[in-house]
């Protein structure tokens, strides 16, 4: 990939000349910890997510004093080579980690050198060594050294994460906050974090996969800590205003923004084929369409024609009763995208945000959610993020049962899905799934641009098909008078499903629909449709402008009511590898005109879901109040009996 015009090349010779210094750091140096506590006998991690480091420490100015600390010998090469339970030889994975660390250190030193040359820090260093530094320059010199330290640390963390990304496995490690962040100068700063990395490897790297996970977790934690510190530090403008590229790896340095390697997830889930999803016709159809829509993403333009034309689903919510097929739908959609990406050679990244990401430590749950979002929206990959059982994961504001961690996740998801800085490129989509969507925060639920009602098998044919499917082949029971899977013919089933929404399904919405039709007649103009929307809002005050936007987005998706041909996915040259403008023109030619029937159906589909959620939410609230009243009466009875 060629470098962009605003990037400067970090020449290979400028990096390689720092190899010797980087290797000396890995080979061994002495460091007396000034902030973090040394662990006398680092022990293996006992359970996932339980670290041994103190999570919080005082940051009150003036309370951190110089302490007498034992000098610690840091030998990272030896430490890494011991991460395989005593094998005498260095393994390929260990060698890759050490090579990655050396390369990352060399890149960090090279960028710090560039900063020194651009700002005059190099001249001040020489003057300081010669004892000729003017007294009026001492404050400036100190600030520049601190800036150099922050730059060195961030570039080291970013380069380490980038270079070792391809070695990541499903193993994860929680290393906690990086504490030994020193800003006296670049070299001391690197010594401090390497000392702490040595401690973490000794504590957590009980296997090769844990070794890689530990180093990657440390790099991510280091970047977060340094970026926060840099937000208020002076003298960084020459660094943040510039951009460098290391051509050999395609690694970029762009201020305090992490560089992401275009790596795929290693998926272990069982994929499902569309014919193995019985019922759920609209949800299945839209999931299949969306899987192909994502593949139209243009990696050069960093944009999807569907996103520009207005037919892309960035967020959706799938709801239904337990056992109706939400997990199967996820497996089907992930499998389709995975297969398409393998054919095209695109990196695909799938991740699920689960209840494991709720942490008792303040701010950590939000960090986990933000890391999940950043991992999926990475413009260098095709991404699919799911949030299963979102009613358990994201807290409902105002609900006393919601924990602080759940509310942190809610805030991150709301800001990420429809915040001021949200950019929809069309390379990824997020699916929220729940058996109890009425328990999801109203504002978060309305950030789902599309609604997939996952209602499972409905008709007699559906139940015959699912029985046939799940019975397998180890029997000779005749099928009988039934054509297997004919009812699952997607176009036929979807057309019937959409047409069924010509009238509302929910009783409360039906009353609004009939009243408006009686008052103003057939809904065949924009004005009459707007009157219907106002009537819905009067019946449910939560039906706001965001609901109208979601409905119009869904209508635009219906205008794209076509599936990209299978052969376009099987032969990338026919579509996927075309330039952006050609792909956009090909899609535009297939668009259909928007009709009144489409608009009415999408209004009813969306409003039905809101009325369904409201009815469930009200019923749950009523049942809760009944239980509370019963407890109060029983408590009063026991109290009076006790007094008597």
């Amino acid at each position: 990939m060629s470098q962009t015009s605003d990037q400067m090349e970090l020449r290979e010779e400028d990096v390689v000349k720092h190899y010797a210094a980087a290797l000396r750091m890995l080979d061994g140096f002495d460091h007396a910890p000034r902030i973090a506590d040394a662990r006398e006998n680092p022990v293996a991690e006992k359970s996932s997510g339980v670290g041994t480091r103190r999570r919080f420490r005082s940051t009150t100015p003036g309370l951190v004093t110089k302490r007498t600390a034992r000098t610690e010998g840091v030998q990272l090469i030896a430490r890494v080579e011991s991460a395989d339970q005593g094998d005498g030889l260095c393994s390929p994975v260990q060698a890759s980690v050490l090579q990655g660390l050396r390369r990352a250190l060399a890149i960090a030193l090279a960028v710090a050198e560039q900063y020194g040359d651009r700002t005059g820090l190099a001249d001040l260093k020489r003057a300081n060594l010669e004892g000729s530094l003017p007294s009026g320059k001492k404050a400036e010199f100190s600030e520049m050294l601190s800036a150099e330290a922050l730059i060195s640390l961030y570039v080291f963390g970013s380069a380490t994460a980038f270079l070792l990304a391809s070695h990541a496995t499903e193993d994860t490690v929680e290393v906690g906050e990086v504490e030994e962040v020193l800003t006296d100068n670049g070299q001391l700063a690197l010594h401090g974090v390497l000392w702490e990395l040595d401690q973490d490897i000794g504590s957590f790297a009980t296997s090769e996969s844990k070794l890689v996970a530990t180093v990657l977790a440390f790099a991510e934690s280091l970047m977060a800590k340094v970026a926060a510190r840099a937000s208020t530090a002076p003298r960084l403008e020459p660094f943040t205003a510039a951009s460098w590229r290391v051509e050999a790896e395609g690694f970029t340095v762009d201020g305090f923004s992490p560089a992401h390697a275009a790596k795929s997830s290693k998926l272990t889930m069982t994929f499902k084929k569309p014919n193995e999803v019985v019922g759920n016709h609209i949800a299945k159809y839209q999931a299949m369409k969306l899987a192909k829509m994502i593949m139209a993403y243009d990696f050069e333009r960093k944009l999807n024609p569907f996103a520009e034309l207005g037919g892309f689903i960035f967020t959706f919510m799938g709801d239904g009763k337990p056992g109706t097929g939400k997990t199967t739908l996820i497996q089907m959609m992930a499998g389709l995208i995975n297969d398409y990406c393998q054919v095209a050679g695109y990196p695909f990244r799938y991740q699920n945000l689960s209840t494991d990401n709720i942490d008792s430590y303040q701010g950590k749950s939000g960090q986990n959610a933000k890391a999940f979002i950043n991992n999926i929206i990475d413009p260098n990959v095709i991404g699919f993020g799911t949030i299963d059982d979102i009613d358990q994961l994201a807290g409902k504001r105002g609900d006393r049962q919601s924990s602080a961690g759940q509310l942190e996740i809610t805030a991150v998801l709301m800001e990420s899905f429809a915040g001021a800085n949200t950019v929809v490129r069309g390379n990824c989509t997020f699916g929220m799934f729940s058996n109890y969507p009425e328990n999801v925060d109203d504002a978060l639920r309305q950030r789902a641009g599309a609604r997939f009602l996952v209602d499972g098998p409905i008709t007699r044919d559906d139940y015959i098909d699912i029985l046939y499917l799940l019975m397998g082949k180890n029997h000779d029971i005749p099928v009988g008078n039934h054509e297997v899977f004919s009812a699952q013919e997607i176009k036929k089933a979807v057309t019937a499903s959409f047409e069924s929404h010509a009238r509302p399904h929910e009783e409360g919405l039906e009353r609004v629909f009939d009243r408006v039709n009686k008052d103003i007649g057939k809904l065949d103009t924009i004005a009459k449709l707007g009157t219907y929307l106002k009537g819905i809002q009067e019946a449910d005050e939560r039906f706001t402008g965001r609901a109208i936007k979601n409905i119009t987005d869904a209508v635009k998706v219906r205008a794209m009511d076509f599936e990209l041909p299978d052969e376009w996915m099987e032969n990338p040259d026919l579509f996927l590898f075309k330039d952006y403008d050609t792909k956009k023109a090909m899609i535009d030619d297939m668009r259909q005109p928007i009709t009144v029937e489409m608009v009415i159906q999408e209004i009813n589909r969306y409003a039905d879901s809101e009325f369904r959620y409201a009815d469930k939410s009200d019923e749950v609230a009523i049942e809760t109040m009944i239980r509370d009243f019963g407890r109060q009466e029983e408590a009063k009875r026991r109290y009076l009996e006790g007094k008597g």
Side-chain angles (χ1 to χ4, degrees), residues 497-534:
S497 294
F498 278 132
E499 288 176 351
S500 73
H501 288 282
R503 281 189 58 82
H505 292 181
E506 296 298 315
E507 184 179 346
L509 184 60
E510 261 192 315
R511 288 195 294 268
V512 176
F513 183 81
D514 290 338
R515 177 176 57 79
V516 172
N517 270 272
K518 182 179 179 181
D519 291 345
I520 63 175
K522 184 179 179 181
L523 305 180
D524 54 6
T525 67
I526 294 290
K528 291 181 178 180
L529 291 168
T531 304
Y532 179 35
L533 292 171
K534 176 58 179 174

mmCIF file of all heavy atoms in Angstrom, residues 497-534:
data_model
loop_
_atom_site.group_PDB
_atom_site.id
_atom_site.type_symbol
_atom_site.label_atom_id
_atom_site.label_comp_id
_atom_site.label_asym_id
_atom_site.label_seq_id
_atom_site.Cartn_x
_atom_site.Cartn_y
_atom_site.Cartn_z
ATOM 1 N N SER A 497 -44.356 -11.851 4.613
ATOM 2 C CA SER A 497 -44.119 -11.232 5.916
ATOM 3 C C SER A 497 -44.248 -9.716 5.837
ATOM 4 O O SER A 497 -44.861 -9.085 6.699
ATOM 5 C CB SER A 497 -42.719 -11.612 6.432
ATOM 6 O OG SER A 497 -42.638 -12.987 6.701
ATOM 7 N N PHE A 498 -43.662 -9.121 4.802
ATOM 8 C CA PHE A 498 -43.766 -7.667 4.647
ATOM 9 C C PHE A 498 -45.220 -7.247 4.436
ATOM 10 O O PHE A 498 -45.692 -6.266 5.023
ATOM 11 C CB PHE A 498 -42.908 -7.182 3.481
ATOM 12 C CG PHE A 498 -41.453 -6.990 3.821
ATOM 13 C CD1 PHE A 498 -40.448 -7.500 3.005
ATOM 14 C CD2 PHE A 498 -41.074 -6.284 4.954
ATOM 15 C CE1 PHE A 498 -39.116 -7.316 3.310
ATOM 16 C CE2 PHE A 498 -39.741 -6.095 5.271
ATOM 17 C CZ PHE A 498 -38.759 -6.619 4.451
ATOM 18 N N GLU A 499 -45.937 -7.986 3.586
ATOM 19 C CA GLU A 499 -47.324 -7.624 3.291
ATOM 20 C C GLU A 499 -48.205 -7.715 4.531
ATOM 21 O O GLU A 499 -49.193 -6.986 4.660
ATOM 22 C CB GLU A 499 -47.867 -8.528 2.178
ATOM 23 C CG GLU A 499 -47.274 -8.224 0.805
ATOM 24 C CD GLU A 499 -47.748 -9.195 -0.262
ATOM 25 O OE1 GLU A 499 -48.403 -10.207 0.105
ATOM 26 O OE2 GLU A 499 -47.454 -8.965 -1.453
ATOM 27 N N SER A 500 -47.836 -8.599 5.455
ATOM 28 C CA SER A 500 -48.640 -8.734 6.675
ATOM 29 C C SER A 500 -48.580 -7.480 7.535
ATOM 30 O O SER A 500 -49.420 -7.287 8.416
ATOM 31 C CB SER A 500 -48.154 -9.934 7.495
ATOM 32 O OG SER A 500 -46.914 -9.665 8.129
ATOM 33 N N HIS A 501 -47.591 -6.615 7.285
ATOM 34 C CA HIS A 501 -47.452 -5.382 8.062
ATOM 35 C C HIS A 501 -48.203 -4.212 7.421
ATOM 36 O O HIS A 501 -48.014 -3.061 7.830
ATOM 37 C CB HIS A 501 -45.973 -5.025 8.250
ATOM 38 C CG HIS A 501 -45.261 -5.926 9.202
ATOM 39 N ND1 HIS A 501 -45.390 -5.820 10.565
ATOM 40 C CD2 HIS A 501 -44.428 -6.972 8.980
ATOM 41 C CE1 HIS A 501 -44.655 -6.756 11.152
ATOM 42 N NE2 HIS A 501 -44.060 -7.465 10.213
ATOM 43 N N ALA A 502 -49.048 -4.503 6.435
ATOM 44 C CA ALA A 502 -49.904 -3.444 5.893
ATOM 45 C C ALA A 502 -50.844 -2.941 6.981
ATOM 46 O O ALA A 502 -51.313 -1.802 6.936
ATOM 47 C CB ALA A 502 -50.697 -3.962 4.693
ATOM 48 N N ARG A 503 -51.120 -3.803 7.948
ATOM 49 C CA ARG A 503 -51.845 -3.410 9.160
ATOM 50 C C ARG A 503 -50.974 -3.731 10.372
ATOM 51 O O ARG A 503 -50.166 -4.670 10.333
ATOM 52 C CB ARG A 503 -53.170 -4.179 9.283
ATOM 53 C CG ARG A 503 -54.292 -3.650 8.417
ATOM 54 C CD ARG A 503 -55.605 -4.344 8.779
ATOM 55 N NE ARG A 503 -55.958 -4.160 10.191
ATOM 56 C CZ ARG A 503 -56.567 -3.067 10.671
ATOM 57 N NH1 ARG A 503 -56.882 -2.078 9.858
ATOM 58 N NH2 ARG A 503 -56.864 -2.980 11.956
ATOM 59 N N PRO A 504 -51.112 -2.975 11.451
ATOM 60 C CA PRO A 504 -50.321 -3.261 12.658
ATOM 61 C C PRO A 504 -50.679 -4.624 13.242
ATOM 62 O O PRO A 504 -51.770 -5.153 13.017
ATOM 63 C CB PRO A 504 -50.726 -2.134 13.614
ATOM 64 C CG PRO A 504 -51.318 -1.068 12.758
ATOM 65 C CD PRO A 504 -51.953 -1.781 11.603
ATOM 66 N N HIS A 505 -49.732 -5.174 14.026
ATOM 67 C CA HIS A 505 -49.954 -6.444 14.701
ATOM 68 C C HIS A 505 -50.335 -6.247 16.167
ATOM 69 O O HIS A 505 -51.030 -7.086 16.733
ATOM 70 C CB HIS A 505 -48.689 -7.313 14.631
ATOM 71 C CG HIS A 505 -48.379 -7.791 13.251
ATOM 72 N ND1 HIS A 505 -47.313 -8.606 12.960
ATOM 73 C CD2 HIS A 505 -49.001 -7.574 12.048
ATOM 74 C CE1 HIS A 505 -47.280 -8.872 11.668
ATOM 75 N NE2 HIS A 505 -48.299 -8.248 11.090
ATOM 76 N N GLU A 506 -49.850 -5.164 16.775
ATOM 77 C CA GLU A 506 -50.101 -4.924 18.191
ATOM 78 C C GLU A 506 -51.435 -4.200 18.387
ATOM 79 O O GLU A 506 -51.773 -3.278 17.631
ATOM 80 C CB GLU A 506 -48.970 -4.100 18.805
ATOM 81 C CG GLU A 506 -47.617 -4.801 18.789
ATOM 82 C CD GLU A 506 -47.605 -6.078 19.601
ATOM 83 O OE1 GLU A 506 -48.139 -6.053 20.739
ATOM 84 O OE2 GLU A 506 -47.076 -7.096 19.116
ATOM 85 N N GLU A 507 -52.178 -4.602 19.421
ATOM 86 C CA GLU A 507 -53.528 -4.083 19.638
ATOM 87 C C GLU A 507 -53.539 -2.564 19.828
ATOM 88 O O GLU A 507 -54.388 -1.858 19.259
ATOM 89 C CB GLU A 507 -54.141 -4.765 20.864
ATOM 90 C CG GLU A 507 -55.580 -4.371 21.128
ATOM 91 C CD GLU A 507 -56.160 -5.082 22.336
ATOM 92 O OE1 GLU A 507 -55.536 -6.071 22.789
ATOM 93 O OE2 GLU A 507 -57.212 -4.648 22.837
ATOM 94 N N GLY A 508 -52.585 -2.028 20.609
ATOM 95 C CA GLY A 508 -52.549 -0.584 20.852
ATOM 96 C C GLY A 508 -52.302 0.205 19.587
ATOM 97 O O GLY A 508 -52.924 1.261 19.358
ATOM 98 N N LEU A 509 -51.410 -0.294 18.731
ATOM 99 C CA LEU A 509 -51.121 0.398 17.478
ATOM 100 C C LEU A 509 -52.288 0.256 16.502
ATOM 101 O O LEU A 509 -52.568 1.182 15.717
ATOM 102 C CB LEU A 509 -49.831 -0.156 16.861
ATOM 103 C CG LEU A 509 -49.338 0.543 15.596
ATOM 104 C CD1 LEU A 509 -49.050 2.013 15.867
ATOM 105 C CD2 LEU A 509 -48.087 -0.149 15.051
ATOM 106 N N GLU A 510 -52.974 -0.876 16.555
ATOM 107 C CA GLU A 510 -54.145 -1.062 15.682
ATOM 108 C C GLU A 510 -55.190 0.019 15.928
ATOM 109 O O GLU A 510 -55.796 0.542 14.983
ATOM 110 C CB GLU A 510 -54.763 -2.441 15.934
ATOM 111 C CG GLU A 510 -54.354 -3.492 14.922
ATOM 112 C CD GLU A 510 -55.211 -4.732 15.041
ATOM 113 O OE1 GLU A 510 -55.453 -5.187 16.170
ATOM 114 O OE2 GLU A 510 -55.661 -5.247 13.983
ATOM 115 N N ARG A 511 -55.400 0.359 17.181
ATOM 116 C CA ARG A 511 -56.395 1.384 17.499
ATOM 117 C C ARG A 511 -56.003 2.735 16.900
ATOM 118 O O ARG A 511 -56.847 3.456 16.363
ATOM 119 C CB ARG A 511 -56.557 1.501 19.022
ATOM 120 C CG ARG A 511 -57.275 0.313 19.650
ATOM 121 C CD ARG A 511 -57.728 0.628 21.072
ATOM 122 N NE ARG A 511 -56.598 0.817 21.963
ATOM 123 C CZ ARG A 511 -56.046 -0.155 22.677
ATOM 124 N NH1 ARG A 511 -56.524 -1.398 22.606
ATOM 125 N NH2 ARG A 511 -55.026 0.098 23.488
ATOM 126 N N VAL A 512 -54.718 3.074 16.988
ATOM 127 C CA VAL A 512 -54.233 4.329 16.405
ATOM 128 C C VAL A 512 -54.409 4.304 14.891
ATOM 129 O O VAL A 512 -54.902 5.272 14.281
ATOM 130 C CB VAL A 512 -52.746 4.565 16.766
ATOM 131 C CG1 VAL A 512 -52.223 5.829 16.081
ATOM 132 C CG2 VAL A 512 -52.560 4.660 18.272
ATOM 133 N N PHE A 513 -54.032 3.201 14.266
ATOM 134 C CA PHE A 513 -54.113 3.058 12.810
ATOM 135 C C PHE A 513 -55.558 3.222 12.326
ATOM 136 O O PHE A 513 -55.837 3.966 11.372
ATOM 137 C CB PHE A 513 -53.560 1.683 12.418
ATOM 138 C CG PHE A 513 -53.518 1.432 10.935
ATOM 139 C CD1 PHE A 513 -52.492 1.936 10.145
ATOM 140 C CD2 PHE A 513 -54.510 0.678 10.316
ATOM 141 C CE1 PHE A 513 -52.452 1.690 8.782
ATOM 142 C CE2 PHE A 513 -54.479 0.427 8.959
ATOM 143 C CZ PHE A 513 -53.448 0.939 8.192
ATOM 144 N N ASP A 514 -56.486 2.531 12.990
ATOM 145 C CA ASP A 514 -57.890 2.602 12.574
ATOM 146 C C ASP A 514 -58.464 4.002 12.788
ATOM 147 O O ASP A 514 -59.243 4.498 11.957
ATOM 148 C CB ASP A 514 -58.711 1.569 13.345
ATOM 149 C CG ASP A 514 -58.382 0.143 12.927
ATOM 150 O OD1 ASP A 514 -57.869 -0.034 11.810
ATOM 151 O OD2 ASP A 514 -58.628 -0.788 13.728
ATOM 152 N N ARG A 515 -58.101 4.640 13.897
ATOM 153 C CA ARG A 515 -58.630 5.984 14.165
ATOM 154 C C ARG A 515 -58.145 6.978 13.121
ATOM 155 O O ARG A 515 -58.935 7.786 12.597
ATOM 156 C CB ARG A 515 -58.205 6.441 15.566
ATOM 157 C CG ARG A 515 -58.652 7.871 15.903
ATOM 158 C CD ARG A 515 -58.299 8.229 17.334
ATOM 159 N NE ARG A 515 -56.887 8.088 17.615
ATOM 160 C CZ ARG A 515 -55.965 8.993 17.258
ATOM 161 N NH1 ARG A 515 -56.332 10.080 16.587
ATOM 162 N NH2 ARG A 515 -54.703 8.805 17.567
ATOM 163 N N VAL A 516 -56.838 6.935 12.792
ATOM 164 C CA VAL A 516 -56.282 7.875 11.815
ATOM 165 C C VAL A 516 -56.893 7.627 10.437
ATOM 166 O O VAL A 516 -57.250 8.573 9.720
ATOM 167 C CB VAL A 516 -54.743 7.762 11.768
ATOM 168 C CG1 VAL A 516 -54.174 8.593 10.619
ATOM 169 C CG2 VAL A 516 -54.131 8.210 13.090
ATOM 170 N N ASN A 517 -57.047 6.368 10.046
ATOM 171 C CA ASN A 517 -57.660 6.051 8.752
ATOM 172 C C ASN A 517 -59.103 6.537 8.688
ATOM 173 O O ASN A 517 -59.574 7.020 7.654
ATOM 174 C CB ASN A 517 -57.600 4.540 8.493
ATOM 175 C CG ASN A 517 -56.334 4.117 7.779
ATOM 176 O OD1 ASN A 517 -56.271 4.118 6.555
ATOM 177 N ND2 ASN A 517 -55.307 3.790 8.554
ATOM 178 N N LYS A 518 -59.807 6.421 9.806
ATOM 179 C CA LYS A 518 -61.195 6.874 9.846
ATOM 180 C C LYS A 518 -61.289 8.385 9.735
ATOM 181 O O LYS A 518 -62.173 8.932 9.059
ATOM 182 C CB LYS A 518 -61.845 6.403 11.148
ATOM 183 C CG LYS A 518 -63.315 6.788 11.272
ATOM 184 C CD LYS A 518 -63.901 6.266 12.580
ATOM 185 C CE LYS A 518 -65.367 6.680 12.715
ATOM 186 N NZ LYS A 518 -65.941 6.210 13.999
ATOM 187 N N ASP A 519 -60.315 9.095 10.359
ATOM 188 C CA ASP A 519 -60.355 10.561 10.374
ATOM 189 C C ASP A 519 -59.926 11.181 9.048
ATOM 190 O O ASP A 519 -60.517 12.171 8.596
ATOM 191 C CB ASP A 519 -59.464 11.095 11.499
ATOM 192 C CG ASP A 519 -60.039 10.791 12.884
ATOM 193 O OD1 ASP A 519 -61.225 10.442 12.962
ATOM 194 O OD2 ASP A 519 -59.273 10.880 13.872
ATOM 195 N N ILE A 520 -58.873 10.640 8.433
ATOM 196 C CA ILE A 520 -58.302 11.314 7.256
ATOM 197 C C ILE A 520 -58.326 10.460 5.993
ATOM 198 O O ILE A 520 -57.904 10.904 4.924
ATOM 199 C CB ILE A 520 -56.852 11.775 7.524
ATOM 200 C CG1 ILE A 520 -55.935 10.581 7.779
ATOM 201 C CG2 ILE A 520 -56.803 12.750 8.688
ATOM 202 C CD1 ILE A 520 -54.463 10.966 7.943
ATOM 203 N N GLY A 521 -58.796 9.222 6.095
ATOM 204 C CA GLY A 521 -58.870 8.384 4.910
ATOM 205 C C GLY A 521 -57.582 7.607 4.671
ATOM 206 O O GLY A 521 -56.701 7.528 5.530
ATOM 207 N N LYS A 522 -57.466 7.028 3.490
ATOM 208 C CA LYS A 522 -56.339 6.186 3.122
ATOM 209 C C LYS A 522 -55.022 6.949 3.247
ATOM 210 O O LYS A 522 -54.916 8.105 2.844
ATOM 211 C CB LYS A 522 -56.520 5.683 1.691
ATOM 212 C CG LYS A 522 -55.449 4.707 1.246
ATOM 213 C CD LYS A 522 -55.712 4.239 -0.187
ATOM 214 C CE LYS A 522 -54.628 3.273 -0.650
ATOM 215 N NZ LYS A 522 -54.851 2.838 -2.043
ATOM 216 N N LEU A 523 -54.008 6.291 3.810
ATOM 217 C CA LEU A 523 -52.698 6.928 3.994
ATOM 218 C C LEU A 523 -51.928 6.866 2.674
ATOM 219 O O LEU A 523 -51.200 5.910 2.408
ATOM 220 C CB LEU A 523 -51.915 6.205 5.110
ATOM 221 C CG LEU A 523 -52.618 6.082 6.464
ATOM 222 C CD1 LEU A 523 -51.726 5.351 7.466
ATOM 223 C CD2 LEU A 523 -52.984 7.460 7.006
ATOM 224 N N ASP A 524 -52.082 7.904 1.859
ATOM 225 C CA ASP A 524 -51.460 7.872 0.531
ATOM 226 C C ASP A 524 -50.669 9.142 0.210
ATOM 227 O O ASP A 524 -50.276 9.354 -0.939
ATOM 228 C CB ASP A 524 -52.505 7.617 -0.547
ATOM 229 C CG ASP A 524 -53.669 8.615 -0.473
ATOM 230 O OD1 ASP A 524 -53.591 9.559 0.337
ATOM 231 O OD2 ASP A 524 -54.653 8.435 -1.224
ATOM 232 N N THR A 525 -50.451 10.006 1.204
ATOM 233 C CA THR A 525 -49.624 11.198 0.991
ATOM 234 C C THR A 525 -48.663 11.359 2.163
ATOM 235 O O THR A 525 -48.856 10.768 3.235
ATOM 236 C CB THR A 525 -50.492 12.473 0.886
ATOM 237 O OG1 THR A 525 -51.101 12.727 2.162
ATOM 238 C CG2 THR A 525 -51.561 12.333 -0.183
ATOM 239 N N ILE A 526 -47.632 12.180 1.962
ATOM 240 C CA ILE A 526 -46.680 12.480 3.032
ATOM 241 C C ILE A 526 -47.403 13.095 4.226
ATOM 242 O O ILE A 526 -47.132 12.761 5.391
ATOM 243 C CB ILE A 526 -45.580 13.435 2.528
ATOM 244 C CG1 ILE A 526 -44.715 12.754 1.464
ATOM 245 C CG2 ILE A 526 -44.715 13.916 3.682
ATOM 246 C CD1 ILE A 526 -43.823 11.652 1.977
ATOM 247 N N ALA A 527 -48.345 13.987 3.951
ATOM 248 C CA ALA A 527 -49.065 14.655 5.036
ATOM 249 C C ALA A 527 -49.852 13.649 5.871
ATOM 250 O O ALA A 527 -49.879 13.717 7.112
ATOM 251 C CB ALA A 527 -49.993 15.722 4.465
ATOM 252 N N LYS A 528 -50.531 12.707 5.213
ATOM 253 C CA LYS A 528 -51.320 11.714 5.947
ATOM 254 C C LYS A 528 -50.422 10.751 6.719
ATOM 255 O O LYS A 528 -50.743 10.350 7.848
ATOM 256 C CB LYS A 528 -52.219 10.950 4.973
ATOM 257 C CG LYS A 528 -53.347 11.790 4.385
ATOM 258 C CD LYS A 528 -54.227 10.970 3.444
ATOM 259 C CE LYS A 528 -55.386 11.798 2.895
ATOM 260 N NZ LYS A 528 -56.249 11.002 1.983
ATOM 261 N N LEU A 529 -49.294 10.383 6.115
ATOM 262 C CA LEU A 529 -48.353 9.517 6.817
ATOM 263 C C LEU A 529 -47.789 10.222 8.051
ATOM 264 O O LEU A 529 -47.632 9.612 9.118
ATOM 265 C CB LEU A 529 -47.214 9.097 5.879
ATOM 266 C CG LEU A 529 -47.602 8.144 4.741
ATOM 267 C CD1 LEU A 529 -46.473 8.044 3.725
ATOM 268 C CD2 LEU A 529 -47.940 6.761 5.292
ATOM 269 N N GLY A 530 -47.491 11.533 7.901
ATOM 270 C CA GLY A 530 -47.011 12.312 9.043
ATOM 271 C C GLY A 530 -48.060 12.405 10.140
ATOM 272 O O GLY A 530 -47.734 12.379 11.339
ATOM 273 N N THR A 531 -49.341 12.503 9.749
ATOM 274 C CA THR A 531 -50.426 12.528 10.731
ATOM 275 C C THR A 531 -50.489 11.210 11.501
ATOM 276 O O THR A 531 -50.717 11.181 12.719
ATOM 277 C CB THR A 531 -51.766 12.785 10.028
ATOM 278 O OG1 THR A 531 -51.690 14.007 9.281
ATOM 279 C CG2 THR A 531 -52.906 12.879 11.037
ATOM 280 N N TYR A 532 -50.279 10.105 10.797
ATOM 281 C CA TYR A 532 -50.244 8.785 11.450
ATOM 282 C C TYR A 532 -49.094 8.714 12.455
ATOM 283 O O TYR A 532 -49.269 8.238 13.589
ATOM 284 C CB TYR A 532 -50.115 7.699 10.382
ATOM 285 C CG TYR A 532 -50.051 6.278 10.906
ATOM 286 C CD1 TYR A 532 -50.766 5.885 12.033
ATOM 287 C CD2 TYR A 532 -49.274 5.317 10.246
ATOM 288 C CE1 TYR A 532 -50.705 4.568 12.499
ATOM 289 C CE2 TYR A 532 -49.213 4.012 10.691
ATOM 290 C CZ TYR A 532 -49.913 3.643 11.826
ATOM 291 O OH TYR A 532 -49.854 2.349 12.286
ATOM 292 N N LEU A 533 -47.935 9.232 12.060
ATOM 293 C CA LEU A 533 -46.782 9.242 12.966
ATOM 294 C C LEU A 533 -47.071 10.073 14.213
ATOM 295 O O LEU A 533 -46.701 9.687 15.333
ATOM 296 C CB LEU A 533 -45.547 9.786 12.238
ATOM 297 C CG LEU A 533 -44.984 8.900 11.112
ATOM 298 C CD1 LEU A 533 -43.913 9.655 10.333
ATOM 299 C CD2 LEU A 533 -44.407 7.607 11.679
ATOM 300 N N LYS A 534 -47.730 11.213 14.025
ATOM 301 C CA LYS A 534 -48.092 12.050 15.171
ATOM 302 C C LYS A 534 -49.065 11.313 16.087
ATOM 303 O O LYS A 534 -48.974 11.393 17.324
ATOM 304 C CB LYS A 534 -48.703 13.367 14.686
ATOM 305 C CG LYS A 534 -49.217 14.276 15.808
ATOM 306 C CD LYS A 534 -48.110 14.641 16.803
ATOM 307 C CE LYS A 534 -48.650 15.559 17.902
ATOM 308 N NZ LYS A 534 -47.645 15.813 18.962
#
